[in-house]
Amino acid sequence: MSHIWIKDKKIFFEVEGEGKPIILLNGIMMSTKSWQPFVNSFKAKNQLIRVDFFDQGQSDLRVGESYTHQIQVDVVDALISHLNLEKVSIVGISYGGEIAIQYAIQHKEKVDRLVLFNTAAYTNPWLKDIGRAWIAAGRTRDGEAYYNTAIPVIYSPIHYETNKTWMDNRKKVLVPVFSDPTFLDKVERLTLSSESFDVKDQLHKIEAETLIVAAEEDYLTPVANQVYLAERIKHAHLIKIPGAGHASMYEKPMLFTSLCLGFINTQDNQFNI
Amino acid sequence: MSHIWIKDKKIFFEVEGEGKPIILLNGIMMSTKSWQPFVNSFKAKNQLIRVDFFDQGQSDLRVGESYTHQIQVDVVDALISHLNLEKVSIVGISYGGEIAIQYAIQHKEKVDRLVLFNTAAYTNPWLKDIGRAWIAAGRTRDGEAYYNTAIPVIYSPIHYETNKTWMDNRKKVLVPVFSDPTFLDKVERLTLSSESFDVKDQLHKIEAETLIVAAEEDYLTPVANQVYLAERIKHAHLIKIPGAGHASMYEKPMLFTSLCLGFINTQDNQFNI
Amino acid sequence: MSHIWIKDKKIFFEVEGEGKPIILLNGIMMSTKSWQPFVNSFKAKNQLIRVDFFDQGQSDLRVGESYTHQIQVDVVDALISHLNLEKVSIVGISYGGEIAIQYAIQHKEKVDRLVLFNTAAYTNPWLKDIGRAWIAAGRTRDGEAYYNTAIPVIYSPIHYETNKTWMDNRKKVLVPVFSDPTFLDKVERLTLSSESFDVKDQLHKIEAETLIVAAEEDYLTPVANQVYLAERIKHAHLIKIPGAGHASMYEKPMLFTSLCLGFINTQDNQFNI
Amino acid sequence: MSHIWIKDKKIFFEVEGEGKPIILLNGIMMSTKSWQPFVNSFKAKNQLIRVDFFDQGQSDLRVGESYTHQIQVDVVDALISHLNLEKVSIVGISYGGEIAIQYAIQHKEKVDRLVLFNTAAYTNPWLKDIGRAWIAAGRTRDGEAYYNTAIPVIYSPIHYETNKTWMDNRKKVLVPVFSDPTFLDKVERLTLSSESFDVKDQLHKIEAETLIVAAEEDYLTPVANQVYLAERIKHAHLIKIPGAGHASMYEKPMLFTSLCLGFINTQDNQFNI
């Protein structure tokens, strides 16, 4: 429970455990708290670092500002400097994966291993329209409308059906959050910050050994996005999770955890086959 | 340009060409006019029958009524009786596919061959929530919001990107339509009529030779739905179209046309291999 | 039951039915007779042309000769000239698809529509080794060894399991054939004629509207081969058949028939969407 | 470099490193030596146990005997008892995965986590015929024929093409091995021992948390086999590796290593999502 200041704005972060450091970068509606179920396994043998981006969780808001991903990339760098880490492994999902990619492009010497779940190389026109639908739903301040607009593209149909009670509880928790103007305005700014995201031409700069995870039922950043990344990032390793949607870490938590920890903690990256 | 009356309500239909009869059943936002690009090929060697369901195109509205799919199934039957057709082949996409399935269950003796594009056996909770998002967007009367909510789940990302001008034109045409209260109320009633759709337990009753077409980028009725149908319909033949979304007929018009005509017009359904 | 002479060698062919002409080109171990189950549907509305390549069926052998695919491409052209056909649609599977591609490259003005089942753009080193295994098995003159070497890469595991009686009968028929030195030597020459096949750099020359069919359980020319073709042939349309192997026409005869006839007989290839 | 005796037969094994124990079970043509490239990473934080089954590597032959998998399952149990291990995690690939499954069924209290690469629940008739082709090729004592019969179903086409030099070297190493009557007879007995393998009805007995890895280009135990396992093993987690064949560990060594170590070393298997 600590924070750093970037200019006059506060960024919230948490560090737990000891070992090879891992930073987890949040998806757009997430916060440091969203990772709670995974903390125990991640901190068992690693130093786990969680952070709230601007307009997330306990970090400061950017009310009235229009910004790009770059302010979040700079958050990551400020945090790594603050923690005096020479090299760090980064796990990002969705929005967090996009920030992770950009960090790995801009600060390649500081990235050990990179793990990208449900991540794209750019915001295509289709995804931009989906974001616009979220924004329009948010502006109605109708939490149920927002839920119905955003959640079915985040969870897979099979997860909805086979975890009905869990989804019902999730709805009860989320509808009030999705009715809160402060939250909705934060997510609107975060959504808009993604519209200009495009690193298609810079993927070749990534030097880190990179695990790319695609969820076969991801209908927000479908598998084609991860195949695109895997074909252009030098040291890329691609796997697919069947039966999981965009929120793959919640749908398949043990796979999420073991894929991240396995890839980051494996000693060699060259095998004399 | 004809119509029949069901009780005191008018149903609009069109018949063109001669040969083995084919009825095309519309998706939820479609009408007889939506098939215009396909008419030439379909009527070349077949009798082509198009029809507007209640609350579609030039058929009568059902303002203030809550109804199920059954009224549309009855539309199909009234039309087939009116045309004195003994047997007919039916092509349905999405909503139209669901009506086609129910017709084939209830009137199996009247169905020759059945072609189902982008069709499900039931409205799962996930799809129901998507429908609810459409309804909420429709009630804002904001055509652009409705467009952004509904269109990205109908067209695939790749279609969006590689047909940008076409999509831009489509948006110009659709936003005014999606701002029209009469249209939005019609689609709301049609959407609600799908909520109770569930023929999981009746699929075994279908006797027709059935072609089931799945589009690999369909994010509204994903491939798992068509696999489900194919595993339960007796004489089912499943194929997949890569790189196409829910509006597969518009994304891949030549495949749509040739798959329908090939399957319906092929003489044998038994091959002495 | 006719033949043409190419130099002093006889080529056997058959023509049936009337309408838009379709030539069926055989896979490596096939002959005109292999298409018997499909004749009825194909000749119903089309002129159906079947032909045995050199070293196939009732056409002449090329004992002691080493040749490339070109002699078979020339067979196709001689036959089309003999029949005075201005334009013809060609369906090829596997070896026949490879000849069809080359014909469409070399004689683009004579090809109307092209249908390629289970076809590759070149013989990769992996496929070459499989061919070498067939040849080695053939040289043992042990029909059962040849059957076990060649048949499991031709039929899918699911076809094996769900059509056990059919497969057992097939084995009874094939083992004697696969013990016949004349047959084995023919297939050896045909196999060798494929080793140099490579039209990767010429696919852009194909002008014909082309349907490319991939079988998802094809373990001889797997799906990646058909994706490769679809990405490089100008007017290509790709579909996939789940649950079928390399001998897709025997595993899914109604799909084979309706896909071919639908694609070839559909009037338009442009749709004003 | 140790051994145990089972009755009067020697079984060779090696133990390295310290930590949570992992036993690696060999594919049919493998031996303890085949894992050499992975030892460094596996022993870094775990106790790594390798073992040669009967008729493999440095373990004793079973000349003139016909046996089933059970003798190998008993090898695993004898070794675990000898090492006084209460619980062990098991990684198996192909033949080794089949032994691992049977061990987990028969000795569920001794298995911690289970990792199955490229594994089937039974030897279907198709796979049996492939095995018969290997046996026939082996009996010719022609190493190149055996190579061409067995290797293309083990490595993916893409691996063949993109690692040509590596494959050429592999061929130079393997052809002499595949010409050695002792080796060929060993593999024949191992192949025959798989013919009766069928645990379809016992998969529900497995209690271990299980990672199932399918390689999308596996043409010996294709993806459908792993889907089958995943649907029937209680605590199963399925992932797919695109672009890899049956020898997935050699085609994707870093994925193989990090998947195994990540899944076995992750602390929790329950996540309070």
Side-chain angles (χ1 to χ4, degrees), chain D residues 74-271:
Chain D
D74 294 342
V75 162
V76 176
D77 198 46
L79 180 57
I80 287 172
S81 298
H82 173 79
L83 295 172
N84 280 315
L85 299 171
E86 213 171 308
K87 260 183 182 258
V88 65
S89 293
I90 306 182
V91 173
I93 186 163
S94 193
Y95 190 91
E98 299 176 3
I99 305 303
I101 285 181
Q102 291 167 93
Y103 191 81
I105 289 167
Q106 296 176 28
H107 303 274
K108 46 177 165 265
E109 72 291 352
K110 294 191 194 166
V111 181
D112 182 2
R113 296 206 179 141
L114 188 59
V115 179
L116 305 171
F117 275 76
N118 308 80
T119 296
Y122 63 109
T123 301
N124 62 41
W126 176 83
L127 187 55
K128 190 175 154 180
D129 277 3
I130 292 176
R132 292 275 164 167
W134 291 17
I135 289 170
R139 290 188 180 173
T140 66
R141 306 317 197 190
D142 172 347
E144 188 151 350
Y146 195 85
Y147 180 93
N148 289 331
T149 305
I151 295 303
V153 282
I154 292 183
Y155 290 97
S156 69
I158 186 76
H159 188 78
Y160 250 77
E161 269 194 276
T162 51
N163 301 280
K164 198 162 173 354
T165 314
W166 186 86
M167 285 302 302
D168 288 347
N169 287 334
R170 192 115 188 104
K171 188 169 183 176
K172 268 181 216 137
V173 171
L174 288 177
V175 168
V177 176
F178 291 168
S179 305
D180 169 18
T182 304
F183 177 84
L184 292 167
D185 288 347
K186 284 161 70 169
V187 178
E188 176 169 333
R189 289 191 297 272
L190 290 164
T191 303
L192 289 171
S193 79
S194 290
E195 288 202 348
S196 59
F197 170 61
D198 187 343
V199 292
K200 286 200 295 287
D201 295 341
Q202 300 177 63
L203 294 171
H204 64 279
K205 294 183 189 165
I206 298 176
E207 295 290 342
E209 206 73 37
T210 305
L211 177 67
I212 297 167
V213 185
E216 290 192 344
E217 312 300 321
D218 182 344
Y219 303 144
L220 194 59
T221 51
V223 172
N225 292 280
Q226 289 85 50
V227 170
Y228 186 96
L229 290 174
E231 289 172 350
R232 286 160 182 82
I233 294 178
K234 251 174 295 191
H235 306 296
H237 306 261
L238 176 64
I239 67 161
K240 296 184 191 167
I241 307 182
H246 189 69
S248 55
M249 67 170 183
Y250 285 157
E251 297 194 19
K252 305 284 180 188
M254 189 168 179
L255 282 180
F256 172 78
T257 308
S258 59
L259 290 170
C260 291
L261 295 179
F263 191 76
I264 292 169
N265 291 332
T266 288
Q267 188 171 294
D268 298 337
N269 62 0
Q270 293 299 320
F271 296 81

Side-chain angles (χ1 to χ4, degrees), chain C residues 4 8 39 41-42 58 60 63 75 89-90 93 111 113 121 137 144 192 202 215 217 221 232 236 239-240 248 261:
Chain C
I4 51 171
D8 56 336
V39 167
S41 282
F42 271 81
Q58 298 166 67
D60 272 354
V63 178
V75 163
S89 292
I90 306 180
I93 186 163
V111 182
R113 295 207 179 143
E144 188 153 349
L192 289 171
Q202 299 176 65
E217 313 299 321
T221 52
R232 284 160 184 81
I239 66 159
K240 296 183 190 168
S248 55
L261 295 179

Side-chain angles (χ1 to χ4, degrees), chain C residues 155-224:
Chain C
Y155 290 97
S156 69
I158 187 75
H159 189 78
Y160 249 76
E161 268 195 277
T162 51
N163 299 280
K164 196 159 175 0
T165 313
W166 186 87
M167 285 303 303
D168 287 347
N169 287 333
R170 193 115 189 103
K171 187 169 183 175
K172 268 180 215 135
V173 170
L174 288 177
V175 167
V177 176
F178 290 169
S179 305
D180 170 16
T182 305
F183 177 84
L184 291 167
D185 288 346
K186 285 162 69 168
V187 179
E188 175 168 334
R189 290 191 296 273
L190 290 164
T191 303
L192 289 171
S193 80
S194 290
E195 288 202 349
S196 60
F197 170 60
D198 187 344
V199 293
K200 286 198 296 286
D201 295 341
Q202 299 176 65
L203 294 171
H204 65 279
K205 295 184 188 165
I206 297 176
E207 295 290 342
E209 207 71 37
T210 304
L211 177 66
I212 297 166
V213 185
E216 291 192 344
E217 313 299 321
D218 182 344
Y219 303 143
L220 195 57
T221 52
V223 172

Side-chain angles (χ1 to χ4, degrees), chain B residues 133-147:
Chain B
W134 292 17
I135 289 171
R139 291 188 179 174
T140 67
R141 305 317 197 192
D142 172 348
E144 188 153 348
Y146 195 85
Y147 181 93

